[in-house]
Amino acid sequence: MATRICLVRHGETAWNAERRLQGHTDIPLNDTGLVQARATAASLAAERFDAAYSSDLTRARQTAAAIAERCGLELAFDAALRERHYGSFQALTYDEARARFPDDYHRFETRDPEFTFPEGGESLRQFAARIHGTLEGIARRHPNGTVLIVTHGGVLDIVHRLASGKPLTAPRDFTIPNAALNWIGWDGAAWALIAWAQQQHLNQALDELPNA
């Protein structure tokens, strides 16, 4: 592959542990997440990255900072790598969202690509277009390079589908643990999966996202 990208989901937050939708809400890592960030950094110490990018939200920035310090990297922060905006679902647990907005929740959990969350949220199709464009732009800036990206679970859902050819509407049959390593490649025309959900460096890692 001409360009290799290692994508890392941020470490655990209190809201992950509570199964609470974060979206664009800026939640920091909890103590477990900080430990995970350091473990992920140690697991990547032997890698040589040509560039490093991170979502600008605190949970991603903290995870990325641990890796950058260990690997001697300069970070570029990009709001286009943020989680999907969940609109009125943000700050609710999945159970609370289902009880409060049953019709909307059904469209969410069945992966209706045109469903847009009320109060400023994104549709799945809009979100996927944002991630596709951002990822391709990064790959094109670093031909024949190796790139680190620290981002969010929903972003990784889109990335896996992009690299594997799985439709947006298909139920998720792959894991997205906090602080795991996920490798994809770009040959200038198409994406491919290299490795996914590598977590040998972690004692524990949540995958609390729906449709698992």
Side-chain angles (χ1 to χ4, degrees):
M1 293 297 166
T3 304
R4 294 166 66 240
I5 299 180
C6 178
L7 296 112
V8 178
R9 184 184 178 196
H10 61 79
E12 183 181 304
T13 71
W15 281 22
N16 288 152
E18 296 169 7
R19 299 194 77 247
R20 194 173 298 279
L21 288 113
Q22 295 176 120
H24 286 201
T25 311
D26 203 10
I27 304 300
L29 299 181
N30 62 14
D31 288 345
T32 297
L34 292 168
V35 170
Q36 290 172 335
R38 291 192 292 270
T40 300
S43 76
L44 290 171
E47 291 288 343
R48 293 295 174 262
F49 292 104
D50 298 288
Y53 295 84
S54 173
S55 159
D56 63 338
L57 295 176
T58 299
R59 55 194 184 273
R61 293 175 72 106
Q62 289 178 296
T63 306
I67 301 170
E69 181 178 4
R70 184 66 180 262
C71 297
L73 299 172
E74 183 175 344
L75 287 169
F77 298 103
D78 190 345
L81 291 168
R82 286 186 178 192
E83 181 61 277
R84 182 179 177 185
H85 196 304
Y86 292 114
S88 57
F89 281 28
Q90 292 185 164
L92 301 178
T93 66
Y94 291 104
D95 288 342
E96 288 168 347
R98 182 186 292 108
R100 194 173 300 183
F101 305 106
D103 294 338
D104 286 346
Y105 194 89
H106 176 72
R107 295 184 68 186
F108 164 56
E109 69 178 348
T110 56
R111 302 188 64 88
D112 178 346
E114 309 306 332
F115 167 62
T116 301
F117 290 98
E119 299 182 22
E122 291 175 285
S123 73
L124 191 57
R125 197 174 303 284
Q126 290 169 332
F127 179 45
R130 166 160 68 89
I131 299 309
H132 289 186
T134 303
L135 205 62
E136 184 170 328
I138 289 172
R140 290 191 183 281
R141 286 196 292 275
H142 304 284
N144 302 310
T146 300
V147 179
L148 172 73
I149 295 177
V150 181
T151 185
H152 304 269
V155 174
L156 285 162
D157 175 88
I158 298 299
V159 168
H160 188 286
R161 293 166 193 275
L162 175 64
S164 67
K166 186 181 296 295
L168 282 179
T169 54
R172 180 163 64 91
D173 60 0
F174 51 90
T175 59
I176 309 176
N178 286 117
L181 309 180
N182 309 278
W183 291 87
I184 62 172
W186 166 254
D187 67 2
W191 294 96
L193 282 174
I194 299 173
W196 196 260
Q198 295 179 322
Q199 51 185 312
Q200 299 91 332
H201 56 288
L202 302 171
N203 290 328
Q204 59 177 334
L206 289 178
D207 176 1
E208 83 296 350
L209 304 171
N211 296 332

